[in-house]
Amino acid sequence: MKLIVSAALLVIMSVGLLISCSNKAEEPSLEPLQMSEISGNAIWDRITVESRYKNYTEWPKDSGLQPGQSPHGVWHRVFANRTLLEALPAADSTAPEGSLIVKENFGSSKTLGSITVMAKVKGYDPENGDWYWAMFDPEGKVLKEGSPGGCISCHAGMRSNDFVIINPLDMAP
Ligand code: HEC
């Protein structure tokens, strides 16, 4: 009897382990965040709990730690979720609803300083590409969120590319 119980436990544990391993590697398909629920905290939850941004694909032409420009870190790493990458190249240079771009910003000693995010939320800010902007410290504390003027005015230089600087959206990422 004891043996059967132990064998059963072992099977349950192995299945559990398998499921948790495959979850880690796979990026789940999730419903886009809606205007009614959007906030810095909702974004943090989306990129660290509901899905893990570290499992998103790093921007293919820019993967690994790359030298960044002011005011972002000296080094950066950019991840994009499947919703965005699968839509590229986009002939109209517009990211689809539900797109998430997560940028890790590192200081000169390559320690993580902050995480900046662009989340495409339908109807949130039609004048400025419907992006919800957010900035977090490495523990997830919200430092900026919503439509910070600084984020928008600088990224507006790339308004014709839906405010995305890193890559022309009408080209393969
Ligand atoms: C003074 C200009 C400037 C400001 C202000 C700025 N950014 Fe950026 N951002 C950039 C540049 C330049 C890049 C391209 C990558 C790099 O060189 O670091 C970038 C890249 C990004 C990316 C990767 C996607 C892309 O557009 O290439 C995200 C996400 C991002 N910024 C979020 C933010 C958020 C959130 C804020 C406000 C809290 C912000 N940025 C403020 C200049 C700026």
Side-chain angles (χ1 to χ4, degrees):
M1 181 62 187
K2 235 181 177 171
L3 200 69
I4 297 177
V5 173
S6 326
L9 270 178
L10 204 70
V11 170
I12 292 170
M13 276 163 61
S14 321
V15 170
L17 200 69
L18 265 178
I19 291 173
S20 59
C21 285
S22 57
N23 273 354
K24 190 173 179 291
E26 199 171 304
E27 185 192 328
S29 300
L30 297 165
E31 288 297 310
L33 288 168
Q34 300 298 315
M35 244 169 87
S36 54
E37 57 184 336
I38 195 70
S39 69
N41 287 328
I43 291 179
W44 186 254
D45 202 48
R46 171 65 50 124
I47 64 170
T48 61
V49 180
E50 296 172 319
S51 65
R52 295 181 190 197
Y53 78 84
K54 285 183 195 272
N55 289 339
Y56 297 176
T57 305
E58 281 190 53
W59 199 277
K61 278 189 205 139
D62 194 59
S63 63
L65 219 51
Q66 295 286 331
Q69 291 175 39
S70 171
H72 292 296
V74 179
W75 297 95
H76 71 237
R77 195 194 301 257
V78 178
F79 301 83
N81 71 345
R82 199 198 276 172
T83 305
L84 174 56
L85 290 180
E86 284 177 356
L88 302 183
D92 61 355
S93 297
T94 304
E97 178 190 8
S99 294
L100 284 167
I101 312 178
V102 181
K103 181 153 124 65
E104 290 183 330
N105 307 293
F106 300 84
S108 48
S109 56
K110 300 192 177 163
T111 43
L112 184 61
S114 67
I115 297 165
T116 37
V117 181
M118 294 167 68
K120 183 74 122 176
V121 181
K122 194 172 175 193
Y124 170 68
D125 184 5
E127 305 253 298
N128 296 300
D130 276 343
W131 290 108
Y132 192 96
W133 307 77
M135 181 172 176
F136 305 92
D137 77 4
E139 278 73 51
K141 184 175 166 218
V142 181
L143 303 176
K144 283 184 186 163
E145 64 177 312
S147 309
C151 314
I152 295 177
S153 61
C154 193
H155 279 251
M158 290 303 283
R159 184 178 282 277
S160 61
N161 193 48
D162 207 9
F163 298 80
V164 176
I165 296 175
I166 198 165
N167 198 75
L169 297 182
D170 60 357
M171 287 168 69

